[in-house]
Amino acid sequence: MKTEHYDIKTNIKVGQEIFEDIPNDIRPSWAGLVLSSFNHYVNVIPTTILALFHIIDDKDRWKEGHEQFSKIRVFALENKNDILQNYLRLAELVAKVTYNASGQPAPFDSDSGYKIASVALKATEHFDDKRVEEEVKSAILLFKRNKKFKNNLTAAKDFLLYQKIDDILWYDWDPIGINDMAPRDEYQGYVPEIFNLKKSGANRQEIANQLLSFETDNMGMSGTLETCLKVADKIIKAS
């Protein structure tokens, strides 16, 4: 494990192999997932990065990645003393990959995506927290460890959506309030049903009702529909 971590962090060839295992139409979402792994550890997420997430979620907006890269670069230059420079550099790379995937003219350098794994792991050093390191590494290796999706775009998209729902249930739902101490798989048994609801086109009320049912019927908790609706909104927006 240490050797794998070392290679990813220092060898761009490893980063290239990881990136090239990902279908082009999935690359922005994968890169965004790596970047979003920091969301619960960064005290204040810059608005330029929050805007980038919205661009990634809408394929028709991927072409805006070029302009968003410029905005993130300006923010980084204005905050040179910010201790999260590698995090901002990672966001720049994600914006580049997003624009390149749009197929628009004048793409960024083709090796932008190769650097994501290395820069992301370097960004984890600031936090001195094994959890963020493991979560970032897990996102980086998502398709490296599941190569069967390389030539199946539909399956790859579903796999990525499944992972996003898993994250939402862990970080945003977390009805027991244990995501800072319990094993990462605490709510994974609930993911398949929520994933199926999402895929079937269920609305926010239906998803929220199911989450509330999990809380009250499965966990024996009181639960609140209002909270479940907010979580359902995040699931509806996930793509």
Side-chain angles (χ1 to χ4, degrees):
M1 183 65 73
K2 289 183 179 179
T3 301
E4 179 186 62
H5 178 85
Y6 180 82
D7 287 343
I8 295 172
K9 200 170 181 179
T10 61
N11 190 340
I12 194 171
K13 290 289 185 182
V14 177
Q16 179 179 356
E17 291 175 6
I18 290 171
F19 188 70
E20 291 183 346
D21 277 335
I22 305 168
N24 183 68
D25 276 3
I26 298 295
R27 286 172 179 172
S29 293
W30 167 79
L33 186 67
V34 174
L35 183 61
S36 69
S37 298
F38 292 90
N39 284 2
H40 297 274
Y41 300 93
V42 175
N43 290 331
V44 180
I45 302 172
T47 56
T48 53
I49 293 180
L50 292 175
L52 177 59
F53 288 132
H54 291 305
I55 291 170
I56 290 170
D57 287 340
D58 184 350
K59 186 176 181 180
D60 291 335
R61 296 186 62 192
W62 286 357
K63 58 182 178 292
E64 298 175 31
H66 200 295
E67 181 181 357
Q68 203 59 33
F69 160 79
S70 298
K71 292 179 179 179
I72 295 169
R73 169 57 61 87
V74 169
F75 179 85
L77 291 174
E78 290 176 347
N79 294 271
K80 286 185 178 180
N81 295 324
D82 194 304
I83 54 180
L84 296 177
Q85 280 298 310
N86 278 319
Y87 169 69
L88 296 175
R89 187 180 169 213
L90 172 62
E92 291 178 4
L93 293 172
V94 174
K96 286 182 174 182
V97 165
T98 301
Y99 178 77
N100 287 357
S102 72
Q104 294 293 307
F108 289 103
D109 38 308
S110 59
D111 66 349
S112 298
Y114 305 169
K115 302 172 184 176
I116 285 178
S118 173
V119 173
L121 284 175
K122 288 176 182 176
T124 67
E125 294 175 353
H126 158 71
F127 300 93
D128 192 27
D129 188 325
K130 292 297 294 183
R131 290 177 302 169
V132 64
E133 180 182 307
E134 289 305 315
E135 287 170 28
V136 169
K137 187 188 294 184
S138 178
I140 288 170
L141 297 174
L142 199 58
F143 288 95
K144 185 70 174 175
R145 292 170 173 167
N146 297 275
K147 292 188 176 182
K148 62 184 178 181
F149 298 116
K150 184 175 182 179
N151 298 312
N152 188 332
L153 184 59
T154 299
K157 287 181 177 179
D158 283 349
F159 180 62
L160 194 56
L161 174 61
Y162 192 94
Q163 298 302 314
K164 288 181 178 180
I165 292 174
D166 182 27
D167 282 349
I168 291 169
L169 296 192
W170 178 244
Y171 289 113
D172 300 292
W173 183 44
D174 186 27
I176 308 176
I178 53 170
N179 64 15
D180 61 343
M181 63 184 82
R184 183 64 170 81
D185 61 358
E186 182 67 30
Y187 304 121
Q188 288 178 350
Y190 302 111
V191 178
E193 193 159 350
I194 299 301
F195 172 79
N196 288 333
L197 281 173
K198 163 74 175 175
K199 288 290 292 181
S200 68
N203 60 39
R204 68 191 294 260
Q205 186 69 53
E206 292 170 321
I207 293 175
N209 286 344
Q210 184 58 66
L211 291 172
L212 187 61
S213 175
F214 287 150
E215 292 184 27
T216 57
D217 300 339
N218 296 64
M219 302 178 193
M221 303 179 67
S222 57
T224 62
L225 181 59
E226 182 180 358
T227 299
C228 290
L229 283 168
K230 291 178 181 178
V231 176
D233 286 336
K234 286 182 175 289
I235 292 169
I236 292 290
K237 293 176 182 176
S239 60

